[in-house]
Structures are given as structure tokens and as C-alpha cells.
Amino acid sequence: MPSRPRSAGQVTRNAWERLLVDPTLGVISLLLIFALIAAFALPVFYAGNNIYNLVGTIITVMILSIGMTVVLISGGIDLSVGAVMALCAGVAATLIKMGAPLFLAFIAAILVGIAAGLVNGLLITRVGLPDFIATLAMMGFASGLLYIATQGVPVIGYMTDEYYVIGGLRPLFGPVTFPILVAVILALVVGWVLASTKLGTHFFAVGSNALAARQSGIPVRWVKTQAYVLSGTCAAIAGIILAGRNNNVPADLGTGYEIQAISAAIIGGASLMGGRGRVFGAVLGALTLALAINIINLAGVPSSYQKIVMGVILILAVIANYLSELARGATLRRQAKRLSSIAA
Amino acid sequence: MTYPAKPTSTRSLMLEVRDVTKHYEGVTALDHAGLSLGAGEIHALLGGNGAGKSTLISILSGVTKPDSGEIVLGGEMISVSGPLAAMSAGISTIYQELSLVPALSVLDNIYLGRELKRKTLGLPLTLDRRRMEADVRDLAADFGVTSSELRQPVSEFGALKKRSIEIIKALAFDTKVLILDEPTSGLEEAERRVLFSHMRSMRDRGVSLIWVTHHLEELFGLADKATVFKDGRTVGTVDIASTSVGDLIGLMFGAAQEEFGGGDTRKITHLEPSHKRRVVLSARNLSRGSAIRDVCLEVHEGEIVGLAGLAGAGRTEVVRLLMGLDARTAGTVELDGRRLSLRNSTAAYRAGIAMLPEDRKQLGILADLSTAQNISISRLSTVASAGFWMSRRKERALAEDYRRQLGIKTPNVEARIGNLSGGNQQKAIVARCLNTSPKLLIFDEPTQGIDVSAKVEVHALVRDYAANGGAAILIASEIEELLELSHRVLVMKKGQVVGEVRDIPAAIEAGDFSRIKSEVLTLSAAGQIS
Amino acid sequence: MKHSSPFARIMSIPGMPMTVVLIVSVIVFQLLNPVFLDGRTVGNYLTNGIPILLLTLGVSIVIIGGGIDLSVGTVAGLSAGTTMFALVNGAPLAVGIAVGCGTGLLFGLVNGILVAYLRINDFIVTLATLNIAAGLLVVLSQVQPLQGVTVPGFSELTKGSVFGIPTSFFIAGVVFVIAHLLLAKTIVGRRLYATGISAPASNVAGVSVPHLRLFTFAASGLLAGIAGVLFASRLGAVQAFLGIGYEFIAIAGAVVGGITLAGGGGSVWAALVGGLFLATLQQGLRINNVDPVYFSIVTAVAIVFGVVFERQVRRVILRAALNRTALSTNDRGRSADQHMNERQPAERVAAVTAPEGSKNDAK
Amino acid sequence: ACSTVDDGSSISGKGASGSANCGSGDEQSAITAAVKGRTLKVGFAPPILSEFYTQVEKSAFNRMSELEECYGIKWEWARQGALNDAHSGVEAVGIVENFISNKFDAVFVCSAAAHATMQEIYKAGSEKGVDFYQFNSTEELENPSQADDPTAGLSTVSNIGYDDRWQSGYIAGQYLAKALQGEGQIVQILGPSGSDWTKLRQQGFEAAISEFPGMTIVGSADGGYVRDKGLTAAQDLLTKFPDIAAIYGENEDMALGASQAIDLAGLKHWDGTKGIITIGADGLISGMDSIRQDKLSATVDVNSVDMGRTMIDTLFQHEILGMTVAQFIQIPTVVIDKTNVDWAEAKIAASQAGSGKY
Ligand SMILES: Nc1ncnc2c1ncn2[C@@H]1O[C@H](COP(=O)(O)OP(=O)(O)OP(=O)(O)O)[C@@H](O)[C@H]1O
Ligand SMILES: Nc1ncnc2c1ncn2[C@@H]1O[C@H](COP(=O)(O)OP(=O)(O)OP(=O)(O)O)[C@@H](O)[C@H]1O
Ligand SMILES: [Mg+2]
Ligand SMILES: [Mg+2]
């Protein structure tokens, strides 16, 4: 039976059309534009291991944005990721300094991350605080703990040979560093969870229509809590890696990371309204941010203009998204036309 | 097509609700209400808007907790602590408000909360979409949902298809008790019939069904019993076989059927031939991409023009274009001879067009504002001094006026409109439209989800509006309703006008109701482009 | 809600419970250190806090209309810079102020146009303009040192006083009163709330949502501009980093005050008390010489408790009020019903078998 | 560059290490009598909480406990720092005003707020009997009117800082020129654009390099005063300019980030004859190991230890003994590299140990 125009289901999409209706198209096209600009204007862009460096630069934001994407999909927001990341970095570094074996220190850090996520989740779903307030408070709480513990003096003297590898300062094998491996595995696992598991479906359900989710018997509060726990875990993993990359842990290590993580997720197609988002998009969104800084540095933009250029790039990013939405609409319309001509 | 109800005495009790009470902020939704449901029985739950039907259902499905009362299922007292508990106890529900998740595919929605899984690394982790699809494919096809549509996100479908999906979702699982809260609202005849046959076969398998509807004629030949609620209390239970629409209305509202015009709802002002009347609206070649093509439409003073068509025929889209809510790609619209810009809805209201939208919850009411504020919003200058200064007194007075005039039932016009019953919300929206003194008023599914009494009242409002010289466009998926109210019907299909049926009041008066009805149905199903 | 007590009625106004929290915290801090309410101290901390309160107000207006504006902080910084720049280069006072306010307004309009008419995500748009404004201030501060203004009257904007009350209080007072009237009493305010509650439904009801969106961002920008002028007057010099990070304080203040991020809820009063609560908390810790390493933890805990307390107060009071009104409303509802219908309840229940449940009394 | 250098030698005390030396018995009892067991209420307002300011504070504590031990003076110490805007100084205004409200005897301020802003508040505070001392500020370079009158426009008792031409930038440049014998390409990693420190250090560094025609600054990038951004910036600069001889990090954290970038790129650190030189500025205990291991070639130690001690000495001289003190006091600085890292570290470590808290 002929379908209604807008559902447009019967026509198999060809590869080109599939690409055009992909929600990550915006960020992909933006990356391509950047890469093209870089290729023509900055031959050095492809020199040496620039791209490799670039990935190394952004890996912590990328890991944070993976967790953030899940929180955004489930209809929340997590402002605490930067501070929790720093706190976990501090925990890992301090324990190692005190002589704990690496893996124990890491487990402790991850437990702290999980605990922070759990507290966020419980404050939001049980106490009923708005997500913004709860995670803002957690941000203050986590960074406050680190300040009290360190009194503003960075933790140092915990670097071991293994930790250089974990921080990505030495490759694991070939050109692959540990952080890259972790980010790839994390992206694949979380991507799989979102696409192919019950929990993933529930994240979308809770963020897209919480009442419907509840009526379908989904434990809405617990699902939301799990999203925050996942985000806290990602923050802990990012913290462990950043402590290695940074060689020290100052109390303000996480400042500004939450905005970067949120931006990466949103550039990658997530929505603050919930129910939308993709891990792959967030990864690309993070890369876009890194690429922007990279281009600014390579092009020798005077540092006083960097912020302006950054702002313009962000606007370009969303306009690219907007244009891709238009293209998506046009494609759907074209399909509809074809459909109705077939039906007629 | 009558199906005799099975004798009740032979059936054992499946579910019993005793003495359930539920208070909401300022409202007693249920007041010691009760219900007994036999095994393998279709039990209608009836009552006016706000009688407490949905509240009882949400208690049975574990979404809401009652303040007091007991639920006995299969002889055992159960506590429905949450939706999951209800489902595992064997209670499955189609809710009144669409409870689908737009972000997920149709398939994921159908299986939401009851996903099938397959093993990954020896653990049942991954969703087994292949099996889910295979299991539900036939049922979905019955309701016109194809395999490829199963994989698309629900957000890509319109309201009617969503309703079908919702029904599939509830039918897909074996349950002891299936609750359907107004499942047919807005459904087409064909889909309605499919649903009914499914309901019947479920009953024959021993499933008990609780069925809420405002379309009382549907009950006959299908339902076995009916329990009537009023003001949160159980008025009584009747055997459908030994009752009539009139009796049921009497129970629901405590009034005789005649007062609702139940005898003859087709009193419509006879219009003079249209060429003598002034043309109020004239739309030429209105198009929106390929979705709406070359729609031409004229509405005269005092005339109600009906738009007929199957789901997705594009009726709503046409009126959205008239309102300037969507951008047109071609065409012109004149109102009283003046060309409209169609830039946005503000311009439409200013020019003199008003609309009652089809999706009351999402597009109609502003749930967190008061009834008074909802009434005034489209023309705030009527309740403002100096053109910008809101006068609470004027606003109250205006709302009180309409409350009296249209019979809006609310304790207080300053109460949140979201807490009113559907019918009363709808009347408030009508009031909002009337307050803009429109030259053209568009009613898109004006009686969706409202009770018989409110329906009659809304019909009267539509008629009055036209009788006073207003021009109206009416969209209603129930063909009877459309014909009863319209002077003239345009039939749409796939975004185009495919035919027209004129002089409907005269035809009805001449007893030709079934002829014009089949004419419209034929046109909308197969009509060729004229 | 006619039957509820005046107290309950007051408490159900958005922001009122937080007002209680605010008053309690002021009393606690005063008991801890009597200098807290010392005229000069209060004057200083409020004068310092007023620009941020204005930012809170601006963000609140955007949030009530269903959006978000991250750019307020740096736009205020840039506006301070442009005001200074104009004054340093010899512009008269009025021109300097106009330049500052105009800068804010301009940014608000740009945000608004991108968000309302191109329908680009407001979070990203305002994050972008946040960066652009910050960057422009850096550039501007390198063109010329932004200090050394001697234009008469400029520093009096924040340092002068009328009848012993600092001038900036009057400025802020006027702004807040206008904002309150605009939101609570005018057509624009009503449409703003409607848009925040549901943009699609408002659109169907004939509210021009894009115009309102533009209006909210323009208002927020203008307020940031005024805040910038006050910053410049207060500091006497503007530096490149002014305003960075204030968006967070502003949004936090709004949300703490009871403005719902989802839109459509809250009031000017809520924004004011929320912002004041955060400022008071920080000032209270400072005046009691609490080591700053404890600030963020104490603030975090206080915010959580403040918000929880606010909700509890509201809930308890509302419940008490509702219990009192529930019966009466119901009765009134019923009688209205009957009156309206003038119909006798059905007596012909012959064919009716009443279910057992309804006969039993509640257990 | 226009100040009296005063190292506070007029009061006795132990050096960076060693036991308290309270002067002769007579002197000790006479000063004790002058102190009269008083308690000084002192405020300390650094722009942020960081390792550097902690070192300053702890050195001050060390000196305070010595004076307490010798002369019976008591201290009440309160630290307040900006939380939200380390770099813009709006909060600094409020902090200083609170110290005035709470009637502190003296306040040490290092603030990013503009010269004009702060001087006005000091002036108001001084009228209420609070004495202001600035530390680690760029005051002497800020106020143009000082050319004629060194105290013009200043409402502070004293300004304790260091200069070495534009906040150490110049000597960093000189060190590089010497090590590289006047030849080579250099990149800079700068602090956030718009900061006074950034501006001055950059000016000083560029002034020093401009004296050597064989040396050129080929590129610069923003490292935001933090390590991971410094690392990113250095990586990008190394990509673009693979042949550089030196990286100047405007503070030590960014220089350490640059050093990591060199490791990551597989390049060699300076070994005295070849490799890439990295130089920063601060003198943080956390950087000393890196110098010892050749990861960081050098750092300009701006002498947090003597800054802290001198602050207390100056305070004591002025508040207790009624002495006039120099309007500008310059603390000596030193470039620390592998040759002198041991004593430099020992000196800082000693100043941090055992002083307790106030
Ligand atoms: N969440 C709620 N908060 C406050 N009042 C509510 C809420 N839900 C329902 N009510 C009120 O409870 C009463 C019963 O509502 P309910 O939805 O059960 O009626 P209904 O019989 O399903 O009506 P309809 O036929 O319109 O669907 C109404 O007065 C309604 O306004
Ligand atoms: N595929 C779709 N994608 C998005 N929105 C849709 C889609 N189909 C319908 N809608 C919207 O859902 C609502 C209900 O649609 P409905 O089924 O009534 O169809 P329609 O195309 O509007 O025409 P009609 O009123 O003739 O049925 C309308 O507002 C319509 O614009
Ligand atoms: Mg209902
Ligand atoms: Mg429709």
C-alpha cells in the first residue's frame, strides 16, 4: 500500500541519499571543509604527525563527550565532568605517589568517578534537583575536594614508565597510543550499547519521552542515574589519562572541560532537549574543536585573535549543520516526489 | 453487523477494583470507585470528560498510585507498584495520550520495556531485532505498518499512524487484561474494523478488555458490559445487550438523551446557493512542495466547508498553510478580497483567520497557563489597556463570559488549563478563537477525545458560529460528523483536492445520507483527480 | 486558590521560598560576623554584585522564553571595554554609556537573529558569541589601555549615592522594576511565558515566536551592556578578561532562584533572589574569612540545601493550602456543575448493577 | 628599574635555613618590648591559589614563626583569593573591601585588577587605617607618572616584587642568547592574551632577543598558563617549525608542557651543546626534578621564598618598628639550570617545611 509522503519508507535509499540524511552530516562536512582549508592553506597540516598529535590533544575531551552524549540523550546535562575528571586524576596520582600499584589506583579513581555519577543521578532522580543544579553542585564539590587536598599545589612525582604509556606520551605499539585505544574501545562499546542494547534503547526513550518510558515499565530514574554513572566513569578514565599526559595534577586541571565536552557532543548532533545524539558524532565534534585550535596555531593566528576565530568557527559549525538539515529536507522531499510518482 | 454478547453469568471474575480514591491538587479524580471485570469480557468504561476513567487506568497500569483502595486480580489482591509490576501481572495498556518515543524506531517502541535479546559473548546483551521484527510483522501489516516502516523512527509518522503503532504495541504481547483508553479516537473506519476484530479474537482467547470510548455506537455488538463513571464515582454497570445509547448517556450525565439532540443532530441551517453569498476565503493553487499540490478552496459567508480524506491526505497541512504555520511554495490566498501574506500565524490572526488545532495537548493548550490566559492569548489587546498593559480584571471577566457562554466546566478560570478535562480544554480553545472575532475559523478535529455531551456542545458552537455569518473549515475523520456539520465537502487525497460533494444539508434532508457518505468514501479512497 | 491563607499564597509565588532561604542566610551570616550588615560592607558587596544580578536577569528572561544565553558574561566585559574606549577617547558621558549599552544590544540582536530566524542552536550560537566578545575585548584592550577616565559623573554611577543609597541601586532598581512590569503585566510578558511553555502551541495561537526569541536575546544583550557600563564605572579600568565565567554564575543564580531551564517558569523576583543568594553566600564566606579552598564545597552544599529547602517549603505550604481548598473546590466544582446543567441525577438505574466496590466504605 | 633595593637585612633572622637568630639578647628584649605582645591582623590576597602563591605564603609563615619566637608578636592571617575571575580582578575588589570592613591591620595584595582600580581602594582603606602592601605585581611598570615622582598615584606602603626587566622576560632571553651563542630560531608559548604579565614578559623577552641579530622568534601560540594547553601549543609549533633551537614558555607549567612535546616528537632535549632548549619562569618545587633530568633546561626563579620573607620583614619594620620602607623592593632572582638546581631546590624546600599554618 502506498505510504504517506513524509514517511517515505518504501524507496530504498541509495548511498548518496543515505549520507545526506545522516544526522552527523553537518559535522562531517565541517571536518571536510577544515581539512580542505588546511590542505590548501597549510601544507604543514599533513606534515609529520600533526594529525596524530591532534588526536592526542583532544582525547580527554573526546572521552568526556562520549559520556556527555549519553547524558544528553537521556535528557540531562552533566556540568561536573571537568571537575570530577580532575578529582579522579588527583586520586590516581596521589595513590600512586603513596606507592599503590597502578591498577589499584586506577580502580580507586574509577570508583570515585562512579560515585560522583551516582550522587549526581540520585540528586536528580531521588532528591529531585534540576540536573543543572545538581551537577553544578557536584562540580563545586569535586573541585573543592581537590583544592582542599592539594591546597593549590599540584600533585607531582607519580609518573612511572607505565604511566607514560597510559598518558599517551609513549606509544603502546606501532603508532597506537593507550589513550587512542581506550577512546576507540569506549566509543565502540558505548556506540554499541546505544544502538544495540536494551539499556541504549532506554536512554533514548527516557530522554525523548519520559512519560512514555515510564508507562512502558522502564525504570526511568535508574536509567537516568546510569547515564550519569557512565558519564562519571568516562570522567574518571579521562582523568587517569590526563594525569599521565600532564605529568602533574593541579587543582584547576578540569576547568573548562565541561563546556568543551558539551560543545563536542552538540556539534556532533546531540540535543539539549534529549533523545538525540551519537557517539560517532561526539567523537567527530571533539575532533572539530581540536582541529580549530590546530588550524589557529598552524596558521599563526596572533593569540589575541584566537578567541574570535574560535567563535567564528563554532558558528560555521552550526551553520554547516543547518545546511545539512536543509539538504536532508530536500532529499526527503525528492524521495517523496519519487514515491508519489511511483504510486500514481 | 451485530454480535450478541455472551451471557455474563458463566464468566468468572478476572479483575476487581474496590473503593479506589485518588486526589490531585484540588481535585478528587476518583472517589471510592469500583469496577468488576469478568474473564474473556469486553468491558466498556464510560463517563464524561474528567470522570476519572484515565485515572483509574493509570492506577491499574501502575503509573499512578491510588490514595486508597484495592485491586484484586484473578482472586488475589495485588499491589501495582509500577508499570513493570502491572505488565508482569498481565495488565497491558494503550494510553489515551500517545505514549510513543519519537526518537526510537517503531520496532523499538513496540518492544520498549519488553525487548527480546540474543547472546553476545555468552550473555544475553544484544537486542534481537530480527526476531522482534519477525514476531510482530504480521500484526503490524494488519494495521498497515510495513516492515521497512518498522525500522523508521516514530517521529517520522503522523498522529494516526502513531495510534496504530500504539495499538500494535499493546496487542503484541499476551496479557490477561488489556486496557484501551480511547483507542479509536481519530482512527479510520478500516483500521477501526481491524482493531475490533483483534479485540474480539482476544476476548475469545479469554483476555479481558477494558475499553474506554466516547463513541457509544461502537459498543453495540462488541462490548459485553459497560461501567459508567461520573465525577470519580461509579454510577453503575449495565449489560450492553440490554441498554441503549440513550440509557448510557443518561447514566453518564444524568440527563435524558434528547437534551443532547441525540434524536436529530443534523439540524443545520439551510444555506442559499453559494453564488449569492459573499466569498470570505479564496485560496488558489496552494502548494507546499510535493506534499500539497494546487489546492483551490473557497469558503462563503455562513458556510461550513468540510475537508474529507484518509489519514495523511493533507487536510491538516492545507489549513496549516492557510494559517501561515508552514511556508507555501506556490499559490495565493485572499480573505475578504484582500491578499494575505501568509508569513506567520500572527499575520493570519490579524487578518481574521483563527484555528483550533487537531493536537490539543501539543498544539492547542498552553498547559501551564490558566484557562483565562489560554483564552486571551491570541488577542491580548482585548484584555489590555493602552494596547499593552494586561488587565487581570478584564481577562477574568472575558474568561467568565466565555465560561458561561460555552459552558466550560472549571472551578476557577484561573486554574491551570492542563488540569481540565479534554472537552473543557477544547471549549477554551474555541473561546480563544472566537475572541479574535475571526472571519474564517478552522476546526481541525474539534471533537477528538471529548465526550458525547461536550461533542454536542462543540457541534453547537460550530453551527452557531456559521449561523451568525462566520465562515468555517472543518476537518473531522469521522465521516458522519463531517457530513452532519458541513454544507459542502471537499475530498482530498495525497495532497490534492480530488472531488467535491455539494448541498449536503439538502441531501440529508432528503434522506440521502448513506448515498453522500459512500460518495465521499469512494472519492477519498480512489477518487481520480478532477 | 481563593481559600488559601495569605501566607500560602505568597509562598506559592515563584522565588518566595528562596527569599526565605536568603533571609535566613543573611541572619546566619550576621550572627557570625556583625560587620556583615554594616552599611558600608553591604553597600560594597551589593554594588559589586549588581552587574552580575543584571546578567542573571538577562539570562532569566532568555530562559523563561525557552532559550539559553551563554554569552552574557563576556558581552558585559566587552561592553565595559567599549564604554571605556569611548570615554578615554573623549566621548561625553551619555555617548559612553550609549556605546556600552549599544554593544550589548548589538550582540543580543546577533544572537537573536541567528537563533530566532536561522533557527540555529542557541547553546552553540551564544558559546560562539561568548568567544567572539572575549576576543574583541582582548583586541580592544591592546589598542589602548582602557583606564584613566575623568569624565565627570562616570564613576558616580557606582560610587556616588543619593540619600545615602548608592546610585547603582537606583539604576538596578529601575531596571528590575521595569523588567518585572514587562514580564508580569504586559502583553509581551504574557507571550514570553507562553513561548517558554510551548513554542509550537504558542505559534499556533498566533504568538510570533521568532520575534519574541529575538526580543529575549536583545533584552539579555542590553542588560549585559548596562552591566558592562557599571563594571567599567566600578572598576575604573577594564582588563581583557572581564566577564569570563560570569555566564555560569548568572545561569546558576537564575536556576537557584527557581527559574526552570525548560522555560516558561519563574519571575524577575526569582532571578533577583537567586542571584542575591549566590552573592550573599560568597560574601558571607569571605567576610568570615573562610579559606577559599572551602568555598566551592560550602557553596555546592548550600546550593543543594537551599534548593531542597525551597522545594520542601513550597511543597509543604502548597499541600497545606490545597488540603484546605481541595474540599471546597470540589464542592464548588460539583455545585457549579449541577447549576450549569440543572439536571436531575439519573434515577432510572433499574438495569444497573452497582459493583460491590462502590458499596464498601474505605478501609 | 627605578627603585631602592632592600633585602630586609635590618632585622635579624635565620636565613633560608638554620635556626632562628634573634640578635643579641639586648636587642631581642628591646624589640620584644616594642612589640608589646601585639597581634597583627594580616590579610593575604593572591590572584589565584597556585603552587607559586603557596610557596610565597609558606615562606611568609616561616618568617612569621621566627619573629613570633624571637619577639613574641602574634599573627592573625587570613587568605582570600578569587574563585571565578582570577584574571579580571572584579572579585579582588570585593575581597579587599572585606579586609577593610573587618579592620585588618595590613593587607598583602597581588591582583590582576587594573592599577587604577586597586589604588583607589587602597586609598579608601588607608584612610580607615589599613596598610596595603602589594607583592608580585607589575606596579613599577604600570604607572607612567612615576617617572617624576616614584610614589605618585600609589597608596601602598610598599611594593614587593621583582623585575629583571619586564618581569623576568629579559633574563630568560639573555640566558637563551648565551646558551645558543646568539644563533637560532625560537618559539614562544604565551599566557592568555591580555594579561599584564604576559604582555610584559613577552616585551622583555623580545627586547633581549632583538639584541642578537642571529636569533629570531619565528612563532608563538597561546598556552593559557596551563600545562596541557602548553603541550598542544608546543606540538603545533614543532610541527610548523621543526628546526627550532629553543622554546620559551612564559611560565613554568607551559615550558614543562613544551618539554613533553619535545619528548613526544622524538626530539632531543638540550644537553649543553645541542638539542632544544626549554626555558620557563616561576621557580616551582614541582619543576626542579625536570631540570635535574634535563627535561626543562632552565627556569627563571622569581624567588618566592625571599618574596614571602621580605613581605613579613617589611610589614614588621613598618607596622611594629615604625620604620620607613622602600616604595619598591626588588627581590633578587636567579636562573636555575642543572648547575644550580640543587641548592635552589634545597632553599625552597627549607622554606616550605615546618612552618605550620596561620
Ligand atoms: N496529573 C493531574 N493533576 C491534577 N489533576 C488531574 C491530573 N490528572 C487528572 N486530573 C484531574 O482528575 C480528573 C479525572 O481525570 P481523568 O483524566 O481520569 O478523566 P477521564 O475520565 O479520563 O476524562 P477524558 O474523557 O477527558 O479522558 C479531572 O478532573 C482531571 O482534571
Ligand atoms: N510523516 C510525518 N512527519 C512529520 N509530521 C507528520 C507526518 N505526517 C503527519 N504529520 C503531522 O502530524 C499531524 C497529524 O497528521 P495527520 O495524520 O492528520 O495527517 P495530515 O497529513 O496532516 O492530513 P490529514 O489531516 O488529512 O490526515 C499533522 O500535524 C501533520 O503535519
Ligand atoms: Mg481520559
Ligand atoms: Mg489531520
Side-chain angles (χ1 to χ4, degrees), chain A residues 142-315:
Chain A
S143 74
L145 276 186
L146 193 57
Y147 261 110
I148 292 172
T150 63
Q151 295 287 319
V153 181
V155 185
I156 52 163
Y158 56 86
M159 292 302 289
T160 61
D161 280 349
E162 293 95 328
Y163 216 151
Y164 277 100
V165 176
I166 288 160
L169 299 179
R170 284 178 204 150
L172 198 58
F173 49 80
V176 178
T177 64
F178 179 80
I180 293 181
L181 193 67
V182 169
V184 167
I185 292 176
L186 202 59
L188 289 177
V189 169
V190 176
W192 171 76
V193 166
L194 286 177
S196 311
T197 71
K198 186 170 161 169
L199 181 61
T201 315
H202 291 185
F203 283 138
F204 280 100
V206 163
S208 178
N209 185 346
L211 177 63
R214 206 159 84 82
Q215 290 174 341
S216 304
I218 294 176
V220 172
R221 302 195 226 180
W222 174 229
V223 170
K224 278 191 161 244
T225 307
Q226 280 171 288
Y228 286 97
V229 169
L230 184 69
S231 174
T233 312
C234 286
I237 294 172
I240 289 169
I241 288 173
L242 190 58
R245 182 177 162 86
N246 217 42
N247 285 353
N248 74 353
V249 181
D252 61 354
L253 183 66
T255 312
Y257 273 82
E258 60 285 336
I259 286 290
Q260 287 198 52
I262 296 171
S263 305
I266 290 181
I267 292 177
S271 156
L272 290 173
M273 302 318 219
R276 276 182 58 185
R278 281 187 145 204
V279 169
F280 183 53
V283 167
L284 295 183
L287 277 178
T288 311
L289 290 177
L291 197 51
I293 298 171
N294 186 244
I295 289 179
I296 286 171
N297 281 343
L298 291 186
V301 175
S303 62
S304 44
Y305 290 93
Q306 291 197 355
K307 282 208 144 98
I308 304 177
V309 174
M310 189 72 200
V312 172
I313 285 175
L314 274 173
I315 291 198

Side-chain angles (χ1 to χ4, degrees), chain B residues 389-407:
Chain B
W389 197 255
M390 298 290 301
S391 155
R392 205 173 145 190
R393 191 183 47 75
K394 282 191 195 171
E395 191 168 55
R396 239 191 109 88
L398 179 83
E400 288 292 348
D401 259 8
Y402 279 114
R403 176 163 93 138
R404 235 169 296 120
Q405 220 174 307
L406 309 186

Side-chain angles (χ1 to χ4, degrees), chain B residues 54 96 181-182:
Chain B
S54 297
Q96 180 177 12
D181 197 349
E182 300 189 33

